[in-house]
Amino acid sequence: MAIRTRLTEKLGLEHPIILAPMGIAASGKLAAAVSNAGGLGLVGIGYRGSEWIKEQSDAAANVRVGFGFITWRLAEQPDLLELALDRQPTAICLSFGDPRPFAEQILAAGVPLICQVQTLADAKAAVEANASIVVAQGTEAGGYGGTRSTSTLVPEVADLLARISADTLLCAAGGIADGRGLAAALVLGADGVLVGSRFWASEEANVHPKFHQTALAADGDSTIRTTLMDIVRGYNWPTRYTNRALKNSFLETWRGREAELAASVDVETAKWNKAWDEGDGENSNVFISESVGLIKAIEPAACIIARMISDAEKRLASVTAAIR
Amino acid sequence: MAIRTRLTEKLGLEHPIILAPMGIAASGKLAAAVSNAGGLGLVGIGYRGSEWIKEQSDAAANVRVGFGFITWRLAEQPDLLELALDRQPTAICLSFGDPRPFAEQILAAGVPLICQVQTLADAKAAVEANASIVVAQGTEAGGYGGTRSTSTLVPEVADLLARISADTLLCAAGGIADGRGLAAALVLGADGVLVGSRFWASEEANVHPKFHQTALAADGDSTIRTTLMDIVRGYNWPTRYTNRALKNSFLETWRGREAELAASVDVETAKWNKAWDEGDGENSNVFISESVGLIKAIEPAACIIARMISDAEKRLASVTAAIR
């Protein structure tokens, strides 16, 4: 069985599931695993550069994958786009920033542009950029995101696209970790889903095993949106975006003490980085969605996709059977 | 056509739709309209007292309705519960506080207890209170609420109930304003929905017509969670809850100036109250969900329910048809 949508047709996929291009975690290996299982893998570029693009492309050699950029970071090193396009990606995804300066180059290369948006206003900008696919990302997402929730953003963007750009496809992102979330996204009006945290919790993800174990022990009440980790990491994110991570000692220690943390980066950055390298989720950060409470095991990406499709079909059938 | 669920069976309803007991807006008239259309109307008690219970019960005379309390307010005037139970309500809903001190009295009266929760931890407390129905309310909701989103809270609470209390029913709330939202809630694992803002935007709601017009002109990017209005209103809400309203002059003026506002209540409260009475949404507040962008007209509650059911069925059929 399979769920056929405009997304599977447009990108030639078996399943309407795209890997969110998470920095670090969404490696070439994970992207290839998702693509090989019938979805589309997007390698996350994050804060990395040309070496990462080459390495991860090679890791996904002979598999159709795409790349995902943090748009405001790409603006700081625009040459990376050409490097990514040279690899003939299945798609390029731009998130967190104005996609319009890069759209022409992507479209000229014949590559579908995916724009991830957090507001209705963003969605309008994505249409102006001639995005083939708009991803409406809700605040429940892990890592960076905005304030609007998936349940209202998806249908509102669907209405917008129906009105002004009916051929533009729509994916839902944020909080989608199982077949119920996939089915809900489809009935809300999406053509498919972008899945981050559930694939972060896969065997192929580039994630410290200790972070995986920390996440498996957490429930959905355990996450928070914050920007404290950007201070120690020296990332200058636009203020409209915050970062969802598990609540922990680091966040509790520095909550409300941003200036003090900024003044202590010489010491604190080294501590955070060491903790990150060691998989210490109390003194660095585990970036994950509110859907963490729905994740019960670290599994192969193919297993996650197969169950997601199967469970979505079951939920849809079960609810449809309740109509008299 | 109708959608039959455990909720429609349990409460003897035609449709799995409950009116959220919004303060002021969810009057006896609106509750009766929702019940007469096949859902269940819950009169919102809010900050009102015995007179309101009597008046609104009389307005809904001969129609099966229930009542909804703000739990921490009920704790300040617990005698109201007996008054409400004397009216033989179809259900009592407790939101925003510990339901356990009131549960025994409600259950002893043979009345189903509905507990609205904002976290997984709250859901566990609701089960301890022997709630018949747990409402998982996402942050996208209008008015008071928490931080978790509908899309992850609903399936996580569904899993919890399946594990520890399989006979307890589950409703979804927060951002549900049309048939897509209803269908999504059902596939996420809910037995029904609690709908606030969409009924707030009904002909029967006790809402200033100017507030209605202000809401119709807004999109889903236009709301924010804040507590500024509690300062002028003198409400001492527990800090974990914030209040979603349209962004406006009042909120922009006082953002980050909480102490100054608190020191100016003599003047500012009168201004806010006057603006509220006049339907001035810039200088008081329009309390509404992120789903405001999905609301296009003020209509009779019966029309809203009929379309919600019909559209949910269509969405489910359309998505199910995509399974090959």
Side-chain angles (χ1 to χ4, degrees), chain A:
Chain A
M1 302 251 283
I3 299 175
R4 312 303 304 175
T5 70
R6 297 195 302 172
L7 183 72
T8 59
E9 279 180 36
K10 169 86 182 172
L11 296 179
L13 308 177
E14 191 178 350
H15 304 302
I17 297 174
I18 298 177
L19 167 66
M22 300 170 283
I24 306 172
S27 60
K29 180 180 175 185
L30 177 56
V34 169
S35 289
N36 280 331
L40 174 63
L42 296 180
V43 173
I45 308 302
Y47 312 102
R48 304 297 180 89
S50 54
E51 279 306 305
W52 176 260
I53 293 178
K54 288 174 198 162
E55 282 170 17
Q56 303 308 316
S57 295
D58 291 346
N62 305 317
V63 183
R64 296 173 72 233
V65 299
F67 297 100
F69 288 95
I70 296 168
T71 316
W72 67 264
R73 284 285 292 186
L74 180 59
E76 294 177 351
Q77 40 185 354
D79 292 349
L80 292 183
L81 183 54
E82 190 176 348
L83 200 65
L85 289 170
D86 283 346
R87 297 284 173 150
Q88 301 186 290
T90 305
I92 293 283
C93 179
L94 299 179
S95 309
F96 314 118
D98 187 351
R100 287 168 289 196
F102 307 102
E104 197 176 332
Q105 188 181 350
I106 295 168
L107 297 175
V111 173
L113 170 60
I114 304 174
C115 288
Q116 183 166 254
V117 306
Q118 288 76 33
T119 65
L120 192 70
D122 290 342
K124 290 173 186 167
V127 169
E128 284 176 30
N130 291 306
S132 296
I133 301 165
V134 173
V135 178
Q137 183 206 34
T139 186
E140 43 272 72
Y144 289 94
T147 60
R148 293 205 53 187
S149 293
T150 303
S151 81
T152 69
L153 186 59
V154 170
E156 193 172 1
V157 174
D159 287 343
L160 173 77
L161 295 179
R163 202 163 62 240
I164 67 171
S165 186
D167 292 336
T168 305
L169 274 54
L170 173 62
C171 286
I176 299 162
D178 62 19
R180 294 173 291 192
L182 168 58
L186 296 175
V187 298
L188 285 173
D191 300 293
V193 294
L194 193 86
V195 174
S197 293
R198 189 61 191 90
F199 286 131
W200 177 95
S202 70
E203 289 182 2
E204 294 90 348
N206 186 29
V207 172
H208 199 293
K210 285 189 179 172
F211 286 155
H212 273 164
Q213 293 312 310
T214 300
L216 289 180
D219 67 30
D221 293 352
S222 310
T223 77
I224 190 169
R225 285 205 159 278
T226 172
T227 58
L228 284 168
M229 62 287 282
D230 290 341
I231 298 173
V232 282
R233 299 193 299 176
Y235 294 153
N236 192 23
W237 273 78
T239 54
R240 58 174 286 206
Y241 305 109
T242 56
N243 195 335
R244 187 177 295 282
L246 291 181
K247 297 171 188 167
N248 68 0
S249 301
F250 169 77
L251 297 177
E252 184 58 31
T253 299
W254 294 105
R255 189 163 51 99
R257 298 168 59 200
E258 284 76 6
E260 198 178 339
L261 181 57
S264 313
V265 285
D266 283 354
V267 175
E268 297 304 328
T269 299
K271 282 165 66 177
W272 193 96
N273 286 338
K274 179 169 180 288
W276 172 268
D277 288 340
E278 293 172 352
D280 173 357
E282 282 302 319
N283 297 295
S284 63
N285 290 101
V286 178
F287 302 109
I288 198 151
S289 161
E290 269 188 21
S291 66
V292 64
L294 305 174
I295 300 173
K296 305 300 180 192
I298 308 302
E299 297 166 306
C303 171
I304 291 166
I305 291 177
R307 190 181 322 105
M308 199 177 273
I309 295 293
S310 165
D311 285 353
E313 292 173 354
K314 280 185 208 151
R315 284 304 303 164
L316 289 164
S318 153
V319 172
T320 303
I323 301 173
R324 304 281 160 76

Side-chain angles (χ1 to χ4, degrees), chain B residues 60-302:
Chain B
N62 305 317
V63 183
R64 296 172 73 233
V65 300
F67 297 99
F69 288 95
I70 297 169
T71 316
W72 67 264
R73 284 285 293 184
L74 180 60
E76 293 177 351
Q77 41 185 353
D79 292 349
L80 292 183
L81 182 55
E82 189 175 351
L83 200 65
L85 289 171
D86 284 345
R87 296 285 173 152
Q88 301 186 290
T90 305
I92 293 283
C93 179
L94 299 179
S95 308
F96 314 119
D98 187 351
R100 287 168 289 198
F102 308 102
E104 196 177 333
Q105 188 182 350
I106 296 167
L107 298 175
V111 173
L113 170 60
I114 303 174
C115 289
Q116 183 166 255
V117 306
Q118 288 75 33
T119 65
L120 191 70
D122 290 341
K124 290 173 186 166
V127 169
E128 284 176 30
N130 290 306
S132 297
I133 302 166
V134 173
V135 177
Q137 184 207 33
T139 186
E140 43 272 72
Y144 288 95
T147 61
R148 293 205 54 187
S149 293
T150 304
S151 81
T152 69
L153 186 60
V154 170
E156 193 171 359
V157 173
D159 288 343
L160 173 77
L161 295 180
R163 203 163 60 241
I164 68 171
S165 187
D167 292 336
T168 305
L169 274 54
L170 174 62
C171 286
I176 299 162
D178 61 20
R180 294 174 291 192
L182 168 58
L186 296 176
V187 298
L188 285 173
D191 301 293
V193 294
L194 192 86
V195 174
S197 293
R198 188 61 191 89
F199 286 131
W200 178 95
S202 70
E203 289 182 3
E204 295 89 347
N206 186 30
V207 171
H208 198 293
K210 286 189 178 173
F211 286 155
H212 273 164
Q213 293 311 309
T214 301
L216 289 180
D219 67 31
D221 292 352
S222 310
T223 76
I224 191 169
R225 285 205 158 278
T226 174
T227 57
L228 283 168
M229 62 286 283
D230 290 340
I231 298 173
V232 281
R233 298 194 300 175
Y235 294 154
N236 192 24
W237 273 78
T239 55
R240 59 175 285 207
Y241 305 109
T242 57
N243 195 333
R244 187 177 294 283
L246 290 180
K247 297 171 188 168
N248 68 359
S249 301
F250 170 76
L251 297 178
E252 184 59 31
T253 300
W254 294 105
R255 188 164 50 99
R257 297 167 59 200
E258 284 75 7
E260 198 178 338
L261 181 57
S264 313
V265 286
D266 283 355
V267 174
E268 297 304 328
T269 299
K271 282 164 67 177
W272 193 96
N273 286 338
K274 179 169 181 289
W276 172 269
D277 289 339
E278 292 172 352
D280 173 358
E282 283 301 320
N283 297 296
S284 63
N285 290 99
V286 178
F287 302 108
I288 198 152
S289 163
E290 270 188 20
S291 67
V292 64
L294 305 174
I295 300 173
K296 305 299 181 193
I298 308 302
E299 296 166 307

